[in-house]
Amino acid sequence: MAASPSQKNQLFLGLFIHSIRLGELQYLHDAAVCVDKGGKIVAVELPCDQEKAEDKLYPSLGWTPGDVLVTAAKDGQFFFPGFVDTHLHAPQYPNVGIFGKSTLLDWLNTYTFPMEASMAELPRARRVYARCVRRTLAHGTTTAAYFATIDVAATNLLADLCLAAGQRAFVGRVCMDRLGPEYYLDASPAAAAAAARASIDHIRTIDPGFALVSPVLTPRFAPACSAAALAELGALRRETGLPVQTHVSENADEVALVARLFPGHASYAEVYDAHGLLEGGRTILAHAVHLTDAEADLVARRRAGVAHCPCSNTALTSGEAPVRWLLDKGIAVGLGTDMSGGYSPSVLEAARQTVLVSNHLAMPAAAAGVERAPDSHRQPPDDNERARAKLSVEEVLHLATRGGAEVVGLSDRVGGFEAGKEWDAQLIGLAAVPDGGGEEDGGRAGAGAADEGNVDVFGWETWEDRVAKWVFGGDDRNVRKVWVRGRLVHSRSPS
């Protein structure tokens, strides 16, 4: 059965910060948010303290003080929506930081496939998956879209562990019947579909309504799947209505390989569309670095979303995804850590790298006296497009929350603090530097401040500046508590 939310109604007090639209954060000072036993936000009131909440909100909700758990943010702390990681590979977690000296396709054979295949040993898989889930929760990731492996039992174990830990998750049994080593391939297209169905059935057993954990159809990427395998998964998609996750246009060599393997199709994205894997508006396409204009238009028409993975794209020298261009095309974009192509389990790290990659896209190559090679996949950016390429702190935090929620099909449930949404949230703490800079105690940050992570706040910064300091300097040490559907799933301090 699905893990239950809190057994009490809950009142949260303090500062709440969330994105209300791309590029705009809303700061709710001295606010109160009421969350019922089912983990749903039922009231938002400001200004409001505990006394006012008990006098005004509790009676309207039918609550009594003895049935309410109260959590108040301290000075320097704020509530923020949980992060949505739209793309990561749980079995690759042990390889984080190991990129080798090659690009994507060589890296898969050297590092990735052997590690994934080893997860068939369930004790090993449990050790890896449990750590991966705990680490992502500790970084504030309340929703994760996981690629598992081709092994059904190991995939089911990942789903079990996500449910037990309380993380909202999409768990996909990877399908691939070619390109990989013989020891790590589906025996046939029919076998790939049957294995996917077996994992779906297991997740339906442990979480019948997919309230917390959902299956997701997962063709690894087009080169690793025959046309027959893609067709089987497309038929399963139409039958079940389940979401799909896969990769697209991550690497230039990969794009060329797709053209050779699927000569009858106009483009990489069109391969998925022709096999029924873009329809329905619930497809997560990781990377999308080298989409053509026509492909981007197709993705937008099909209401598929893109998981932007800046750390991985840089680490594997895949390219710089033009996020602003994708957004201008009307495509939903979220952020992905893409471990282990990416080196960190932190969506916050992905957010800061998204800013930096966008800055690089805004830098004309001519400024360094270098001529860019012609881009065969889309029209070269003009000066206006370069100028607009840069993304702000507010924009990348939107992608990390509401944008990601839209990409995974949960925009009606998570991503913000409106009544009716579920309480997927994190409590962030920043370190206050005392008068004298802490010299009186040997240079330490001050009593209790060191426990609030490595972002120093002196008191004169605006909240906009504090959020920027958190984005560029923060990590899991700043994540004090994490909730999913109202359930406390991580804490760095006594609850």
Side-chain angles (χ1 to χ4, degrees):
M1 296 295 291
S4 62
S6 171
Q7 297 305 304
K8 282 192 171 187
N9 297 310
Q10 297 185 78
L11 173 67
F12 296 92
L13 299 166
L15 171 60
F16 300 77
I17 303 174
H18 66 160
S19 174
I20 55 175
R21 62 183 60 87
L22 183 68
E24 184 176 351
L25 296 180
Q26 183 178 53
Y27 296 78
L28 304 175
H29 293 274
D30 301 318
V33 172
C34 296
V35 177
D36 67 15
K37 295 177 182 178
K40 183 172 290 188
I41 299 173
V42 291
V44 179
E45 184 78 13
L46 74 161
C48 187
D49 56 18
Q50 185 171 349
E51 181 179 359
K52 182 177 179 181
E54 292 179 355
D55 291 343
K56 178 180 179 181
L57 295 178
Y58 288 14
S60 67
L61 296 170
W63 291 6
T64 58
D67 192 35
V68 179
L69 179 64
V70 179
T71 302
K74 302 175 184 177
D75 289 341
Q77 295 182 339
F78 60 95
F79 296 100
F80 196 79
F83 290 137
V84 180
D85 191 337
T86 58
H87 181 67
L88 69 163
H89 297 262
Q92 295 179 27
Y93 182 68
N95 283 347
V96 164
I98 304 173
F99 313 119
K101 299 178 182 178
S102 59
T103 53
L104 174 66
L105 299 178
D106 290 335
W107 173 79
L108 287 172
N109 286 301
T110 303
Y111 297 100
T112 301
F113 294 145
M115 179 60 71
E116 290 194 8
S118 74
M119 294 303 126
E121 301 175 23
L122 293 186
R124 182 184 179 102
R126 179 179 294 275
R127 183 180 180 190
V128 170
Y129 291 164
R131 183 62 172 171
C132 180
V133 172
R134 295 312 314 176
R135 286 286 284 153
T136 52
L137 282 172
H139 280 275
T141 298
T142 52
T143 299
Y146 286 113
F147 277 57
T149 71
I150 70 170
D151 187 80
V152 173
T155 300
N156 294 347
L157 175 61
L158 175 58
D160 294 342
L161 292 171
C162 290
L163 191 67
Q167 186 175 57
R168 195 184 300 273
F170 295 83
V171 176
R173 185 267 174 192
V174 172
C175 298
M176 50 185 290
D177 65 341
R178 67 177 179 184
L179 190 68
E182 286 297 324
Y183 64 82
Y184 195 60
L185 288 177
D186 288 315
S188 67
R197 192 182 297 275
S199 185
I200 293 166
D201 290 344
H202 173 79
I203 296 174
R204 185 175 284 116
T205 298
I206 63 171
D207 191 356
F210 305 151
L212 201 70
V213 179
S214 170
V216 52
L217 300 175
T218 307
R220 180 170 217 108
F221 63 158
C225 297
S226 65
L230 292 176
E232 289 272 5
L233 293 175
L236 191 55
R237 161 74 173 266
R238 289 189 292 274
E239 175 190 336
T240 62
L242 287 172
V244 173
Q245 62 179 355
T246 190
H247 302 77
V248 71
S249 298
E250 177 178 357
N251 175 280
D253 290 340
E254 168 207 7
V255 173
L257 178 60
V258 171
R260 293 196 299 271
L261 293 174
F262 296 91
H265 295 275
S267 68
Y268 198 156
E270 198 271 331
V271 170
Y272 292 132
D273 191 50
H275 293 91
L277 294 169
L278 284 189
E279 61 191 40
R282 297 188 68 196
T283 297
I284 306 167
L285 297 171
H287 302 289
V289 175
H290 302 286
L291 291 183
T292 66
D293 284 281
E295 284 181 295
D297 291 339
L298 173 62
V299 170
R301 286 198 306 274
R302 297 293 186 260
R303 294 180 293 112
V306 166
H308 175 48
C309 307
C311 300
S312 173
N313 294 341
T314 298
L316 296 174
T317 60
S318 297
E320 300 160 318
V323 172
R324 176 75 68 192
W325 178 73
L326 294 170
L327 293 169
D328 288 347
K329 288 282 190 178
I331 298 170
V333 178
L335 302 184
T337 60
D338 194 26
M339 297 185 294
S340 66
Y343 54 79
S344 171
S346 169
V347 174
L348 193 65
E349 175 68 18
R352 69 174 67 107
Q353 291 299 325
T354 295
V355 173
L356 298 181
V357 168
S358 75
N359 288 351
H360 277 276
L361 282 170
M363 298 178 192
V370 177
E371 291 295 330
R372 280 193 186 271
D375 188 336
S376 61
H377 301 295
R378 55 183 292 258
Q379 291 296 317
D382 57 25
D383 289 343
N384 182 59
E385 186 178 331
R386 284 196 186 282
R388 293 192 68 255
K390 293 177 65 173
L391 295 165
S392 67
V393 163
E394 292 80 7
E395 287 173 321
V396 298
L397 288 176
H398 179 90
L399 302 184
T401 54
R402 287 192 194 270
E406 184 177 359
V407 168
V408 302
L410 294 177
S411 57
D412 60 332
R413 294 168 62 183
V414 302
F417 291 136
E418 297 85 11
K421 280 191 164 50
E422 296 178 8
W423 180 252
D424 284 20
Q426 48 186 322
L427 177 63
I428 303 300
L430 307 178
V433 178
D435 292 343
E439 295 302 322
E440 69 281 359
D441 62 354
R444 293 175 57 217
D451 292 335
E452 296 287 9
N454 64 332
V455 178
D456 290 334
V457 173
F458 292 85
W460 52 69
E461 301 95 339
T462 65
W463 268 105
E464 289 80 2
D465 289 340
R466 295 182 192 191
V467 168
K469 292 179 80 165
W470 168 56
V471 168
F472 286 105
D475 57 32
D476 57 320
R477 290 170 290 179
N478 301 106
V479 181
R480 311 307 304 167
K481 297 176 185 289
V482 180
W483 296 264
V484 177
R485 292 183 68 220
R487 174 187 172 188
L488 183 66
V489 294
H490 172 75
S491 177
R492 286 182 63 92
S493 59
S495 56

